[in-house]
Amino acid sequence: MTMPPETSVVGDHPSTLAIRAQALSRVFGAFTAVDAISFDVGQGEVFGFLGANGAGKTTAIRMLTGLLAPSSGAATVAGFDIRHDAARVRERIGYMSQRFSLYDDLTVHENIRLYGGIYGLTDEQIASREKDLLSRLAFTSSASLRVGALPLGWKQKLAFSVALLHSPSIVFLDEPTGGVDPVTRRQFWELIYQAAADGTTVFVTTHYLDEAEYCDRVSIMVDGHISALGTPASLKAEFAADDLDEVFVRLARGATKS
Amino acid sequence: MSPRFEAWSTLLAFMRKELRHLVRDRQTFVILLCLPLAQLLLFGYAVRTDVNEIRIAIAASAADPAATSLRAQFANSDRFILLPSIPNAAAAERLFRSQQTDVVVVLGPRTDSRTVGVTPPSLLIITDASDPNTSTTMANYAQAVVRDWQALRSDVSGRVAIDVRARMRYNPTLRSVNLFVPGLIALILTLVTSLMTALSLSREKERGTMELLLVSPLRPWQIIVGKVIPYLGLALVNVVSVLLAARFVFLVPFAGSYWLLMGASVLFALVSLALGVLIAALTSSQLAATLAALGGTLLPSTMLSGLIFPIASMPEPLQWVTTIVPARWFVEIIRGVMLQGTGVDVVWRDLLILSVMLVVLLVAAIRRTSVRLA
């Protein structure tokens, strides 16, 4: 049962929806980590999901990826309800967490085979996608190296590519560039753009506000709410700021929880 | 690709990875393969309650003919090493203090044939009870020899003595190895299975790879089965090697069916594996999982399974507690099958209990994993 893609009425972003969150909330005891957030992300968009530590970004991402059940509200990801169609959502998303999460004791090749297998790709599909992936990353000679032996930047690029191996319609990146040098960050964003150009929606959290400038649209979470949402240019105009850094600091300063 | 086939190929990919982890960590793998055998060889020799080479001295007056025949009786027993006779009980004290003897038999003045039946014979067996268990065992052995000696003497004297005989069935030589080897198999299986699955799952949690698995289309049962099967294979290799050592090194008799034994071992291994998975699901770090696996499985398996301490002699509440220790039922099965040749007609109850435990643990483990990372 494939639901027809929902169409958005809001003007300035692509019309097919990848993610739609409606009053999505998560409560831990007396603490409301995510407080009724609503937003749409269009297919093929690079959506920056910003916020200070503890603002609720990770909780939100975990709900959207099916790792955490929402307390109330609803969301659809890739056209499927995250509560009732979680299995279909999982087949259609890729995920890269802030913790590096490939297997260090397996080789590059073995990690690729594992994720290909888990996502139900055939051996031929895995073989051809692995070849593409390795040549795109210029890793061909490293296929038989253990992942643990790779430099961090390589690992992150590999983890991103592995998250895209099954051609998900949306990829969630939770602080993908933490601890990575500026050159590698640059290369990483080139990979993100390439994925977006191929039609993949990229939902990314980051603490680097220069990176946020690369996003099509940006949301800023403060205390579980979305305090600002728009293109980097419109946000700067709205807050009469020179850069997103200033927007962010101005919003975050009003926060009570961080 | 049919959904069913897809489920299996997904599972296969996951299991292949699990097997790689296992083999990749060469040190752990070698330890896991060799440790059980080493443990059996070590403990099989060390853990036994039968006592040999018991040093014994007989205190009696030199002229007593009863002392001569008693000496001969002890000399004929291969458990005892007969020390030179000592004159009296006071000398025994010196021997004990200098740790030159384990047992002293003091023969009273009126134990020769003429007075048997007239005055109660007086014979005192003294043992060093600083190690109570060993001391009791040694006293029992000495009593047995004395009984034989008395029986012999009453024959000579023409009087009828009550002939008390105990027959130890199924383990006639009272070899404790026969009792411990089956128990060790239970312990070794527990160690390899619960601890290793608990560790490997909690490692995924700690490193964050678990998140990736949970975000993927892998279903909780696939993650659990994929974790369990490789370790089940390893446990089976261990069972076979330990059983072979038991049979050919310790000469433990195999009265029953090998197939029943293997079947029961697989069942028990699965129960322990499921327990390991549940432990990992309930704990949040490798350290906590290790402690829980050691405290929650290994200790009860040792202490409450009847392996070392007889369940019948435990206080009643504790006897109830033993019923939830899987090893208790497995030890019962394995001892019955190996030593008594018990068949399914008798052990079906134990097998059923273990099966119920397996289902309960698996359902709980899958449930806990289904909660995802809530």
Side-chain angles (χ1 to χ4, degrees):
Chain A
M1 176 198 77
T2 312
M3 290 161 91
E6 289 183 59
T7 329
S8 165
V9 285
V10 187
D12 66 348
H13 56 83
S15 60
T16 313
L17 283 188
I19 300 171
R20 158 163 272 186
Q22 287 163 311
L24 194 62
S25 303
R26 174 71 201 204
V27 179
F28 297 102
F31 173 65
T32 305
V34 173
D35 193 359
I37 57 171
S38 301
F39 61 91
D40 293 343
V41 178
Q43 187 62 40
E45 205 178 351
V46 177
F47 188 83
F49 198 60
L50 313 186
N53 293 323
K57 301 187 307 272
T58 299
T59 307
I61 262 203
R62 292 168 76 86
M63 286 193 279
L64 293 174
T65 53
L67 286 174
L68 198 66
S71 304
S72 64
T76 57
V77 171
F80 293 98
D81 187 275
I82 56 166
R83 257 187 226 268
H84 306 109
D85 260 328
R88 285 207 177 79
V89 170
R90 275 185 210 119
E91 287 165 11
R92 286 163 177 79
I93 61 174
Y95 176 64
M96 181 185 165
S97 81
Q98 52 191 322
R99 283 189 290 180
F100 173 73
S101 44
L102 295 178
Y103 292 94
D104 273 343
D105 59 332
L106 301 183
T107 64
V108 172
H109 167 75
E110 287 163 350
N111 269 292
I112 292 171
R113 289 228 44 170
L114 168 66
Y115 286 103
I118 287 177
Y119 282 92
L121 301 185
T122 64
D123 286 354
E124 299 80 57
Q125 282 174 317
I126 296 173
S128 80
R129 291 184 195 190
E130 178 180 4
K131 214 175 132 219
D132 289 352
L133 185 159
L134 292 176
S135 69
R136 189 157 12 103
L137 297 180
F139 270 16
T140 309
S141 57
S142 313
S144 57
L145 284 184
R146 288 198 196 175
V147 165
L150 300 177
L152 182 67
W154 290 37
K155 284 186 188 177
Q156 298 297 77
K157 284 191 277 184
L158 181 63
F160 177 65
S161 306
V162 168
L164 290 174
L165 194 70
H166 58 290
S167 316
S169 73
I170 304 162
V171 64
F172 290 88
L173 308 173
D174 194 2
E175 287 173 33
T177 52
V180 168
D181 68 74
V183 176
T184 314
R185 267 171 58 199
R186 195 65 194 236
Q187 293 170 341
F188 197 94
W189 274 90
E190 277 163 19
L191 291 175
I192 290 180
Y193 272 129
Q194 201 170 343
D198 294 342
T200 311
T201 307
V202 180
F203 187 94
V204 58
T205 74
T206 180
H207 283 303
Y208 298 107
L209 289 150
D210 57 325
E211 284 183 354
E213 306 265 3
Y214 302 143
C215 298
D216 295 329
R217 282 190 312 145
V218 162
S219 75
I220 298 176
M221 266 190 98
V222 179
D223 287 348
H225 301 274
I226 290 184
S227 302
L229 175 66
T231 62
S234 69
L235 287 184
K236 279 183 278 192
E238 185 182 335
F239 288 85
D242 291 335
D243 53 19
L244 278 177
D245 208 275
E246 212 182 313
V247 176
F248 185 88
V249 170
R250 208 173 293 167
L251 281 169
R253 196 170 284 154
T256 54
K257 285 174 195 159
S258 46
Chain B
M1 207 159 44
S2 79
R4 184 174 297 240
F5 173 75
E6 202 168 312
W8 283 109
S9 71
T10 308
L11 180 61
L12 218 64
F14 186 69
M15 259 167 19
R16 197 186 303 130
K17 158 238 170 205
E18 212 50 49
L19 215 56
R20 283 214 175 96
H21 284 315
L22 197 59
V23 183
R24 193 62 44 94
D25 187 352
R26 206 49 58 84
Q27 271 184 340
T28 312
F29 189 57
V30 169
I31 290 174
L32 284 176
L33 276 185
C34 301
L35 187 73
L37 200 57
Q39 279 180 318
L40 182 68
L41 292 177
L42 193 65
F43 297 134
Y45 283 114
V47 185
R48 47 179 71 188
T49 49
D50 39 10
V51 188
N52 285 309
E53 303 192 349
I54 306 166
R55 293 165 303 174
I56 190 165
I58 292 170
S61 62
D64 195 339
T68 318
S69 64
L70 185 59
R71 282 181 60 83
Q73 193 74 34
F74 273 109
N76 281 335
S77 157
D78 47 12
R79 289 202 190 275
F80 290 95
I81 299 170
L82 194 60
L83 302 173
S85 286
I86 49 173
N88 49 39
E93 186 64 27
R94 279 198 301 277
L95 278 185
F96 275 122
R97 286 198 179 265
S98 55
Q99 296 188 344
Q100 289 175 45
T101 190
D102 302 306
V103 182
V104 168
V105 176
V106 183
L107 209 54
R110 294 191 192 285
T111 37
D112 65 286
S113 56
R114 278 160 303 170
T115 52
V116 168
V118 181
T119 328
S122 100
L123 186 141
L124 176 65
I125 296 171
I126 312 174
T127 57
D128 175 2
S130 52
D131 176 353
N133 290 332
T134 314
S135 141
T136 310
T137 312
M138 291 190 302
N140 285 337
Y141 289 150
Q143 269 171 9
V145 174
V146 169
R147 262 202 307 276
D148 287 350
W149 170 71
Q150 273 182 308
L152 218 64
R153 280 166 55 78
S154 50
D155 285 353
V156 169
S157 64
R159 287 173 192 275
V160 181
I162 295 169
D163 181 12
V164 182
R165 286 189 190 179
R167 185 170 293 163
M168 303 299 189
R169 294 290 308 276
Y170 311 120
N171 190 6
T173 48
L174 290 181
R175 280 162 38 97
S176 55
V177 172
N178 291 0
L179 211 57
F180 280 119
V181 165
L184 270 179
I185 295 174
L187 273 192
I188 290 165
L189 272 181
T190 308
L191 181 72
V192 174
T193 50
S194 318
L195 189 57
M196 291 314 294
T197 38
L199 263 180
S200 99
L201 257 175
S202 56
R203 190 183 305 136
E204 300 240 12
K205 271 184 163 182
E206 230 174 69
R207 292 195 184 159
T209 46
M210 194 68 185
E211 280 188 3
L212 251 107
L213 298 178
L214 291 177
V215 164
S216 81
L218 271 179
R219 288 164 194 282
W221 72 264
Q222 289 176 318
I223 297 179
I224 286 166
V225 171
K227 284 277 172 196
V228 161
I229 299 288
Y231 285 101
L232 182 65
L234 183 71
L236 281 187
V237 172
N238 286 328
V239 170
V240 171
S241 71
V242 166
L243 285 181
L244 285 175
R247 181 75 192 87
F248 294 107
V249 179
F250 293 105
L251 307 175
V252 175
F254 266 61
S257 149
Y258 284 90
W259 291 113
L260 183 53
L261 201 60
M262 283 307 285
S265 303
V266 170
L267 184 59
F268 178 67
L270 283 172
V271 172
S272 304
L273 287 163
L275 195 59
V277 172
L278 187 61
I279 286 172
L282 294 175
T283 53
S284 50
S285 72
Q286 287 192 63
L287 184 63
T290 309
L291 289 175
L294 286 177
T297 67
L298 210 52
L299 274 177
S301 298
T302 317
M303 300 300 174
L304 299 179
S305 64
L307 166 63
I308 296 180
F309 306 112
I311 292 169
S313 56
M314 294 174 190
E316 202 167 323
L318 207 56
Q319 291 195 23
W320 278 103
V321 174
T322 65
T323 57
I324 58 161
V325 177
R328 177 206 161 143
W329 307 106
F330 181 61
V331 166
E332 207 166 282
I333 297 174
I334 199 169
R335 278 185 180 160
V337 173
M338 283 180 87
L339 305 180
Q340 294 169 289
T342 311
V344 185
D345 52 322
V346 176
V347 296
W348 67 269
R349 197 182 60 125
D350 305 287
L351 290 171
L352 186 67
I353 291 171
L354 284 178
S355 310
V356 170
M357 286 180 167
L358 176 62
V359 172
V360 170
L361 287 171
L362 274 182
V363 169
I366 292 174
R367 279 248 172 111
R368 285 296 309 187
T369 315
S370 306
V371 176
R372 303 264 151 184
L373 299 174

